Amino acid sequence: MDKAQFEIRFRLNKEFDKNGQDNAMFYISSNTGENLQPLHKVASGGEQSRVILALKTIFFTS
């Protein structure tokens, strides 16, 4: 996935609920020239697992 693009978009809800007030959506483009799209709509289970593993590697390694 060396050509992939990844973006996190935040949205503020009008009302505060048990989950807080912010929403975060993951967007991905796996292929060159493809528009960013919501991860949950375009990625297979395997692709989602690779993205989560990559995020864990970035955030939880020292």
Side-chain angles (χ1 to χ4, degrees), residues 2 6-9 17-18 22 27 32 35 39 45-46 50 53-55 57-59:
D2 59 336
F6 182 76
E7 185 175 289
I8 303 172
R9 297 180 186 174
D17 65 15
K18 66 178 182 171
D22 299 326
Y27 284 76
T32 305
N35 291 330
L39 178 67
R50 286 191 290 278
L53 180 60
L55 291 173
T57 300
I58 291 167
F59 292 117

Side-chain angles (χ1 to χ4, degrees), residues 7-34:
E7 185 175 289
I8 303 172
R9 297 180 186 174
F10 295 95
R11 187 181 72 204
L12 186 64
N13 291 327
K14 292 182 180 180
E15 295 190 25
F16 190 86
D17 65 15
K18 66 178 182 171
N19 297 316
Q21 195 172 13
D22 299 326
N23 279 336
M25 291 284 296
F26 294 160
Y27 284 76
I28 191 166
S29 170
S30 303
N31 300 311
T32 305
E34 197 173 84

Side-chain angles (χ1 to χ4, degrees), residues 47-60:
E47 289 172 321
Q48 289 179 15
S49 295
R50 286 191 290 278
V51 168
I52 296 303
L53 180 60
L55 291 173
K56 288 173 106 176
T57 300
I58 291 167
F59 292 117
F60 297 111

